[in-house]
Amino acid sequence: MDLHEYPRPANDTGIGVHWAPGFASAIGMTRIREQWLPEMRALGVKWVKIYNHDGALDFAELLLAEGFMPIIRIYRPTPNPGRVSLRDIVHVDSYLRVGARYFEFNSEPDRDSEWKGGRVPANGQDLVAEDTIVNLEAILERGGMPGIPAVSSGSNWDLVGRIIAKGRKDLFEGPVWQALHNYA
């Protein structure tokens, strides 16, 4: 598949936002449709990161129907070390069926708070690279577009370099993208 064939929102020159008003089911689809979607359109938003995948399928469908591209975070508290579970893959498949394609499965793995036990181990970057390879493969084989995890601002972690060093440069031939946090 040519890079230009991957799904993107119409006129994807817009900006992306991290959805923050709360769980869509708590806010209600009517309020989202009447208040938040017009506001996002007015701001030029085209991409919407859904922080927690669980229970957000209707929200993703609404975003897609309204011309926004959802980025689905497969949320797992303290995901490191670890790989997406069978339950997570079932969720990925559900999102793919409705047309969502972009997935995140980890965020800021260079921070202690993202690790079981509350501490990044000395070999943390290697562990995350190994888990990332497995997670990328699992999502790619289903037709999804997985993101390399964002690291915290100012981090010296190089997950792309570690993945390549582990002999998996081939993963970057597929529709893989780099998540980032640009707090500045």
Side-chain angles (χ1 to χ4, degrees), residues 1-174:
M1 184 179 275
D2 184 275
L3 181 61
H4 295 89
E5 295 176 41
Y6 293 113
R8 300 170 186 220
N11 185 8
D12 70 350
T13 59
I15 60 173
V17 296
H18 191 300
W19 182 257
F23 286 101
S25 58
I27 296 167
M29 293 301 180
T30 300
R31 183 169 178 206
I32 291 171
R33 191 178 290 110
E34 293 174 359
Q35 177 185 347
W36 290 107
L37 296 184
E39 185 71 25
M40 291 191 307
R41 270 193 199 88
L43 292 170
V45 171
K46 296 288 181 181
W47 304 83
V48 179
K49 179 179 173 181
I50 299 174
Y51 177 74
N52 189 335
H53 72 286
D54 201 11
L57 189 62
D58 290 343
F59 181 38
E61 285 182 292
L62 174 64
L63 290 171
L64 287 161
E66 295 289 333
F68 296 94
M69 183 59 69
I71 301 168
I72 312 299
R73 179 170 179 206
I74 304 301
Y75 179 76
R76 300 172 295 136
T78 58
N80 299 294
R83 299 171 179 176
V84 292
S85 68
L86 179 57
R87 182 177 185 270
D88 298 328
I89 292 300
V90 169
H91 283 285
V92 168
D93 288 341
S94 296
Y95 281 98
L96 286 167
R97 277 193 297 278
V98 301
R101 295 285 179 261
Y102 293 84
F103 297 92
E104 286 187 349
F105 49 80
N106 201 343
S107 180
E108 297 188 351
D110 56 328
R111 298 176 57 110
D112 290 336
S113 61
E114 296 297 317
W115 285 80
K116 295 167 183 73
R119 195 112 178 99
V120 177
N123 65 338
Q125 194 171 176
D126 284 318
L127 291 171
V128 170
E130 291 164 10
D131 289 342
T132 296
I133 289 167
V134 172
N135 292 335
L136 291 172
E137 290 173 331
I139 294 170
L140 284 168
E141 73 183 22
R142 287 171 162 67
M145 301 169 66
I148 303 296
V151 295
S152 55
S153 293
S155 176
N156 63 357
W157 276 36
D158 177 12
L159 291 175
V160 171
R162 292 288 171 114
I163 291 167
I164 292 169
K166 292 183 179 299
R168 293 311 308 273
K169 184 177 181 180
D170 63 297
L171 289 170
F172 299 106
E173 295 170 9

